[in-house]
Amino acid sequence: MEAVAVIDFETTGLSPAQGDRATEIAALIVHDGKVVDRYQSLMNAGVRIPPYIQALTGISDAMVRAAPPAAEVMREVADFVGDRPLVAHNAAFDCKFWDAELARIERRRRQEFACSLLLSRRILPQAPSHKLGALVEFAGLPLAGRSHRALADAEMAASLLRHLEDELRRRYQVREVSHELLRRIQGTPKAKLAQCLAGHRQAR
DNA sequence: TGCCAGGCCCTCTTTAGGGCCTT
């Protein structure tokens, strides 16, 4: 697959529309299944983190106060990612924060997201849960560190993405996996997956 | 202090409801 950027945000809550802000971001450049570059930073958006979120992520108000301003971090990470297609686990969530934080620095997203959650529901329907950590365990992939920290979660999403690519090649005989094909798969109803992949199968 | 969202997907569905997933 072409180089893509796998990203993960930690935030103060679930909705930028309700005033929630990003507290940490990680972005990994993944090429042919390998992580070739990494960016990670806490960011200071000048907001308090609710105690239950601090308990969930381990990211405290003090840690964020000592971090660079959110605007500076978002400029850096947007430049780091460039025009590469994006991937995230439950991308609807990360897409909302990516767009909202970019809008604050008067920049706009130039590429589409693929979603490893939607993909795993189709490619690994037998998994007992489609939470990131549960999928990593189900697939026998290595744990990357503390869950609910941006870099560890991005590393796990990148290794899940590679596993999903491998499954498409092995189990579904897909010749070449591209970001565009992933987008097509995630937008296809589960029952029509075989039909969606028919034109992408290896000749046997 | 307590509360807040939204898209996907299944089913005892489609004139709807509720669980899953992200923090």
Side-chain angles (χ1 to χ4, degrees):
Chain A
M1 185 161 64
E2 76 269 37
V4 300
V6 178
I7 71 159
D8 186 76
F9 274 109
E10 303 307 317
T11 71
T12 62
L14 296 174
S15 173
Q18 299 294 314
D20 291 322
R21 297 293 307 275
T23 57
E24 185 179 46
I25 186 163
L28 308 180
I29 308 301
V30 178
H31 190 36
D32 287 336
K34 293 191 181 70
V35 177
V36 296
D37 209 354
R38 291 173 171 81
Y39 178 95
Q40 178 272 329
S41 183
L42 289 163
M43 63 177 98
N44 184 1
V47 293
R48 299 285 301 274
I49 306 171
Y52 71 97
I53 301 275
Q54 294 192 40
L56 179 73
T57 63
I59 298 172
S60 66
D61 284 330
M63 289 164 69
V64 165
R65 267 200 304 275
E72 182 184 319
V73 172
M74 287 307 300
R75 275 186 209 104
E76 281 181 5
V77 72
D79 289 343
F80 176 80
V81 164
D83 287 328
R84 294 180 187 91
L86 291 161
V87 178
H89 196 69
N90 197 6
F93 173 85
D94 292 278
C95 182
K96 276 190 302 189
F97 279 93
W98 182 260
D99 289 352
E101 294 292 346
L102 281 189
R104 288 175 176 273
I105 56 167
E106 297 180 341
R107 289 176 67 160
R108 294 180 69 174
R109 175 167 52 91
R110 296 175 296 196
Q111 64 276 76
E112 298 293 341
F113 271 89
C115 176
S116 56
L117 168 64
L118 295 181
L119 289 165
S120 65
R121 280 180 179 159
R122 285 158 181 77
I123 299 167
L124 301 173
Q126 71 277 29
S129 159
H130 293 89
K131 288 182 185 177
L132 180 59
L135 284 164
V136 162
E137 191 180 339
F138 174 75
L141 303 170
L143 291 169
R146 190 196 200 283
S147 274
H148 295 298
R149 285 301 299 264
L151 186 61
D153 283 0
E155 298 272 5
M156 289 194 286
S159 98
L160 173 61
L161 177 67
R162 179 180 181 164
H163 180 75
L164 293 171
E165 280 181 60
D166 289 346
E167 285 291 290
L168 283 171
R169 291 200 189 86
R170 282 185 213 147
R171 195 141 56 91
Y172 297 89
Q173 288 92 49
V174 171
R175 357 178 238 282
E176 176 128 13
V177 180
S178 65
H179 191 269
E180 191 195 340
L181 177 61
L182 297 181
R183 294 263 309 162
R184 202 171 311 155
I185 292 169
Q186 75 184 38
T188 297
K190 215 188 276 183
K192 293 190 175 172
L193 180 61
Q195 200 178 325
C196 168
L197 294 175
H200 298 272
R201 290 222 162 101
Q202 189 93 44
R204 305 185 96 181

